[in-house]
Amino acid sequence: MYALRRLLYLPFSLVLLSLLCFVLSSYVPLDPVASSLPSADSRLSSQDPETYDRIYRRAATRLGYDKPPFYVSISNAALPDTLHRITRPTERKMLRALTLDAGNWEKVAEYYRVLKAVAFTDVNSTSSHDEQATLLARRLLLQDDPEVIRESIDGLRSRGRAHHLTTAHTDIYQNQQRQRLLWPVVRWHGTGNQYHRWLSNIFAGDFGISYLDQQPVIDKIKRAVPNTLLLNALALFIIFALSIPLGLYLARRVGTRRESWITGGLFILYGVPSFWVATLLATFFTTPAYGMDFFPSMGLGSVPVDASWWETVSVRGGHLILPVLCLSYPALAYVSRHLRQSGTQELSMPYVRTARMKGLSERKILWGHVFRNASFPLVTLFGNIIPGMLAGSVLIERIFNIPGMGQLLYVSAVGGDWPVIIMLVMINGLLTALGLLVADLTYAAIDPRVELNRPSLTQVNNR
Amino acid sequence: MENNKRKVGWAHCWIILLVVLAVFADLIANDRPLIACVNGELHFPVLSTYSDGFTDQPTHQKQIYNWYEQTTDWAVWPPVPYDGSSPDLRNANYRSPSEVQQTGTFARHLLGTDRLGRDVLASLIHGTRVALLVGFGSVLLSLLIGVPLGGAAGFFGNTGLRFSRASCWATAAGISLGLPYAIVCLLPYFDITNLSAQGFACVVAISVIGGGIYLLLNQFRKFRVDVSFPLDGIVLQILELFVNVPGAVFLIAVVAFIEDASLTTVIVVVGILGWTAVARFLRAEMLRVRSLPYIEAAYGGNISSWRILFVHALPNAIGPLLVIAGFMMGSAILLEAFLSFLGIGIPNDLPTWGSLLRRAREQPSAWWLAVFPGVMLTATILAILRIGERKG
């Protein structure tokens, strides 16, 4: 039952996450339509603005950017419900600012029509002040401060084409209707909106096109995921393979000098930031600068196509040793310390004394009885480790230059490539949620005392 | 016991040292003298950078921009006469701490320089300020959101909080109608651009609309009945929704989305992501505290339940909460280093521990760039862990 409820939460969380990303993506400085145009077309923007505008609008319609952003919109009555049809973000901003300043959309739309007509005439073939008006109009299409617009229009000599512009502009302010701003309007746009389109594309398996290199996002992610999974799976394996014996060993020898040294060492290991260690290792052991060039440098290495499996393993292994080491040691220290603590606690329990009285060997007591009871926290730790490891692999992949999801996230974040970022955030969210779910379910499976219908209170410190 | 005390002392000393470094960073490492005498006239160059903010009147003294070139009668320089962000081209191109340096009469670059000759020690000192700013700021924000929500949720549970039905509905309607109205209509109409004025307008709109609806609903008997408010349930649902947000990955995404991200953006995002830990912990703690006998006694003494929560119950949870806050500060500092190491979100010219580590990657043979910031970071994290462990 509990699993079912958690599973029900999952889509809600993901939708919330996708909404958050979607809202954030509208703040991206990059213009998605412009970056989708071939570079030959973008060069037109200064030479032949009219043709460029037409190409731009066609591209925007194809990509669905002429649709309203969301199912509902709330605005004031002064703003029209068709503002989203203006596809250029800068022009939309300009019209919005003017409408909010004066309140009458009709006159602003008229001004916009005149402005475009003036801006899109050919510069060379006309007289000098017409040319001046055209150049100004092109600048005004990008200007969203009403104060500046007014000043530059006032500075224009009202002759020829400039006359149309000045009359259109004064018309806006002579027929101000600012009171319309006070009336709120809620508009329902139906399913023909950008968010719906984006979401249904995802369900159809189309994750969009990367802005940076025009490749399908899904291909990029498909290439990156196996590397990250390999890295994290190896690290997880090492964590549990080493920390369980180590933790139990420490628990049995609590109070001895060797135990206190190892525990102290684990404490320090846990506190040392792994990206620093990774930087140091990468600096000292993969570059010839210090004469200790023991490991192959960056990347995953290249494996020839017809290589034997042993060759593949040795090449990949050589490249993976340091990254896996850096990724696993903080969690290794964390888990061992936890296991030491719970193991110590269990060893003082009456049932251990009973087992000893029965004549069981220490090994049997430790592995047959104590281990099972002491390992309950391990399962919750497993759920807590996963988000941390995914975050850690961003840095580790960056430092060792491994082409995984972390590296992809970094490259996309620097380039503002939001279709990729959004999908990576969603995939990470999904993996985090699955990790937590598996941890909870396993916990219930191995410890019958646990009642899952009470929400867990243990996930306090999920570092 | 003796042993433990000594170790705690080490960790506390380190944290205090960091705070001192952060607060007095300008006095400890600066590219201008503390006091200087030029042609018989006294200058206070470090202090004047502060006073510039307070007074608008132009000083009669002529501005001196490069104090290194200035001949002075006498001058008292800070212990580290560099500021970590201005280049020193005579010592550029990665001078190691032990190498020959051309600093003239000034102190050596004790921990070396980077490609542009920026002093590493001074960068570390100014980086301390950034690290602690992010740590304190984000944890403070997390506490501001998490303590009221988590504390009230755990303390009142699903039945402890009772309001009249009218006030429940009026609050809900006030927020869901008043806030959009203020944003969509009032802010553009009155052309409010100031952030605090915007907040004020929103509060006014919410309270006017909410109050009106309350007066209206209160006319009906059906709405004057008290109902219990399921605060705990609501907070838990929000927590469950937030569990699946992958913190660090989401942080990178947000910072990448925002055009000119600054330190404030990072602090706000880290703080907002951190509130769930606080709320979750405090909720559990309050579930324990509310069944303690002295709380029952306080109820018997006819004290209002909000007063019991804030004056009697919450102080009881402060100790463990501080430990959690310490851990969160550690991870916030790590996140800041993480971001500036990647070079995302934190302004590029700001000297931080993480950005020094990033520069170390550009030149592997400059070991001093890699080692010293890492030592600072590690010592800070270990100190926080140590203090938390002793207390927790």
Side-chain angles (χ1 to χ4, degrees), chain A residues 207-389:
Chain A
F207 290 0
I209 305 281
S210 159
Y211 291 169
L212 287 179
D213 50 9
Q214 313 300 331
Q215 282 185 26
V217 173
I218 189 144
D219 290 353
K220 290 184 113 174
I221 289 181
K222 258 187 196 157
R223 252 174 293 157
V225 166
N227 293 330
T228 301
L229 284 187
L230 177 69
L231 198 65
N232 281 284
L234 280 177
L236 263 183
F237 174 74
I238 288 182
I239 290 167
F240 284 100
L242 288 185
S243 63
I244 290 172
L246 188 63
L248 286 182
Y249 172 85
L250 292 177
R252 237 179 72 194
R253 284 179 183 65
V254 165
T256 63
R257 170 163 298 208
R258 189 186 290 172
E259 183 271 341
S260 67
W261 274 105
I262 299 180
T263 311
L266 286 179
F267 173 73
I268 292 179
L269 214 56
Y270 177 55
V272 182
S274 65
F275 72 96
W276 179 47
V277 173
T279 313
L280 288 185
L281 290 177
T283 308
F284 287 118
F285 294 139
T286 66
T287 61
Y290 298 93
M292 291 187 287
D293 193 4
F294 300 142
F295 294 96
S297 57
M298 312 305 167
L300 273 180
S302 57
V303 182
V305 187
D306 52 348
S308 64
W309 67 269
W310 172 245
E311 204 180 335
T312 315
V313 168
S314 62
V315 169
R316 289 269 187 267
H319 282 90
L320 277 174
I321 287 181
L322 289 182
V324 169
L325 191 74
C326 293
L327 196 56
S328 54
Y329 84 81
L332 176 70
Y334 182 58
V335 174
S336 317
R337 280 162 55 78
H338 257 268
L339 201 61
R340 168 185 163 270
Q341 208 166 6
S342 58
T344 317
Q345 228 165 37
E346 291 295 329
L347 276 173
S348 64
M349 289 281 175
Y351 74 86
V352 175
R353 218 177 314 140
T354 319
R356 285 211 181 102
M357 254 165 22
K358 212 161 71 164
L360 282 185
S361 71
E362 280 295 310
R363 172 191 290 267
K364 263 194 180 147
I365 295 172
L366 207 59
W367 288 102
H369 296 260
V370 172
F371 171 60
R372 181 167 169 158
N373 283 325
S375 64
F376 296 145
L378 279 187
V379 182
T380 10
L381 289 184
F382 175 77
N384 286 346
I385 285 172
I386 287 189
M389 283 187 46

Side-chain angles (χ1 to χ4, degrees), chain A residues 181-217:
Chain A
L181 285 175
L182 283 175
W183 192 244
V185 185
V186 178
R187 293 191 183 95
W188 172 254
H189 297 293
T191 54
N193 63 59
Q194 289 176 30
Y195 180 73
H196 185 85
R197 184 187 158 108
W198 176 71
L199 208 61
S200 44
N201 276 350
I202 285 180
F203 280 118
D206 174 15
F207 290 0
I209 305 281
S210 159
Y211 291 169
L212 287 179
D213 50 9
Q214 313 300 331
Q215 282 185 26
V217 173

Side-chain angles (χ1 to χ4, degrees), chain A residues 9 76 182 276 283 290 337 436, chain B residues 181 184 237 243 364-365 370 389:
Chain A
Y9 271 113
N76 52 53
L182 283 175
W276 179 47
T283 308
Y290 298 93
R337 280 162 55 78
L436 289 175
Chain B
Y181 183 72
V184 160
Q237 306 274 343
V243 159
S365 59
E389 199 164 73

Side-chain angles (χ1 to χ4, degrees), chain B residues 61-82:
Chain B
Q61 290 172 342
K62 121 177 123 75
Q63 283 282 310
I64 298 167
Y65 291 106
N66 191 343
W67 279 93
Y68 297 121
E69 306 287 314
Q70 182 70 33
T71 46
T72 52
D73 302 340
W74 54 269
V76 181
W77 281 80
V80 182
Y82 306 100

Side-chain angles (χ1 to χ4, degrees), chain B residues 61-385:
Chain B
Q61 290 172 342
K62 121 177 123 75
Q63 283 282 310
I64 298 167
Y65 291 106
N66 191 343
W67 279 93
Y68 297 121
E69 306 287 314
Q70 182 70 33
T71 46
T72 52
D73 302 340
W74 54 269
V76 181
W77 281 80
V80 182
Y82 306 100
D83 82 339
S85 48
S86 47
D88 174 6
L89 292 179
R90 279 180 307 174
N91 293 301
N93 225 349
Y94 308 102
R95 289 297 163 95
S96 92
S98 53
E99 217 172 322
V100 181
Q101 296 173 354
Q102 293 171 346
T103 47
T105 54
F106 290 103
R108 291 174 57 80
H109 294 285
L110 285 178
L111 298 184
T113 65
D114 69 356
R115 189 171 59 82
L116 295 178
R118 287 173 286 200
D119 187 67
V120 172
L121 180 58
S123 301
L124 284 183
I125 292 168
H126 284 271
T128 310
R129 173 176 277 187
V130 177
L132 289 200
L133 204 64
V134 172
F136 275 118
S138 62
V139 170
L140 204 65
L141 189 62
S142 300
L143 290 177
L144 271 180
I145 308 174
V147 166
L149 279 179
F155 186 75
F156 292 115
N158 274 332
T159 50
L161 213 54
R162 295 183 76 80
F163 295 114
S164 76
R165 194 170 276 163
S167 55
C168 280
W169 282 103
T171 314
I175 292 175
S176 58
L177 296 179
L179 199 60
Y181 183 72
I183 292 172
V184 160
C185 299
L186 291 183
L187 298 187
Y189 185 76
F190 294 107
D191 203 12
I192 306 171
T193 45
N194 185 334
L195 194 68
S196 50
Q198 286 180 344
F200 181 71
C202 291
V203 170
V204 167
I206 290 173
S207 39
V208 166
I209 292 183
I213 291 177
Y214 177 76
L215 288 180
L216 190 76
L217 289 179
N218 223 13
Q219 305 306 314
F220 305 100
R221 180 175 298 151
K222 203 181 146 198
F223 282 100
R224 267 175 287 181
V225 186
D226 273 7
V227 289
S228 58
F229 182 72
L231 183 65
D232 194 32
I234 292 174
V235 170
L236 266 184
Q237 306 274 343
I238 302 175
L239 285 178
E240 290 278 342
L241 282 181
F242 265 83
V243 159
N244 298 332
V245 176
V249 172
F250 188 69
L251 178 67
I252 294 180
V254 171
V255 174
F257 277 142
I258 294 171
E259 193 169 352
D260 32 40
S262 63
L263 217 51
T264 326
T265 329
V266 175
I267 291 174
V268 168
V269 177
V270 174
I272 288 179
L273 286 175
W275 80 273
T276 51
V278 174
R280 204 179 279 279
F281 173 78
L282 203 61
R283 178 182 167 274
E285 194 65 16
M286 280 294 133
L287 282 177
R288 181 182 69 84
V289 167
R290 75 170 176 190
S291 58
L292 292 180
Y294 80 95
I295 300 289
E296 306 257 321
Y299 270 118
N302 209 9
I303 305 173
S304 87
S305 51
W306 285 101
R307 196 182 148 80
I308 296 178
L309 170 61
F310 282 110
V311 179
H312 301 279
L314 272 182
N316 208 331
I318 277 185
L321 191 65
L322 280 182
V323 175
I324 296 285
F327 283 130
M328 287 175 56
M329 219 175 109
S331 38
I333 290 175
L334 267 184
L335 271 180
E336 181 268 319
F338 177 115
L339 282 180
S340 48
F341 178 74
L342 289 177
I344 306 174
I346 312 268
N348 237 334
D349 49 344
L350 206 64
T352 64
W353 298 343
S355 65
L356 280 174
L357 279 175
R358 189 180 69 225
R359 281 178 229 156
R361 274 173 54 76
E362 293 159 9
Q363 179 74 3
S365 59
W367 55 268
W368 56 95
L369 282 178
V371 171
F372 298 119
V375 168
M376 297 288 280
L377 201 54
T378 309
T380 310
I381 302 297
L382 283 180
I384 287 172
L385 285 180

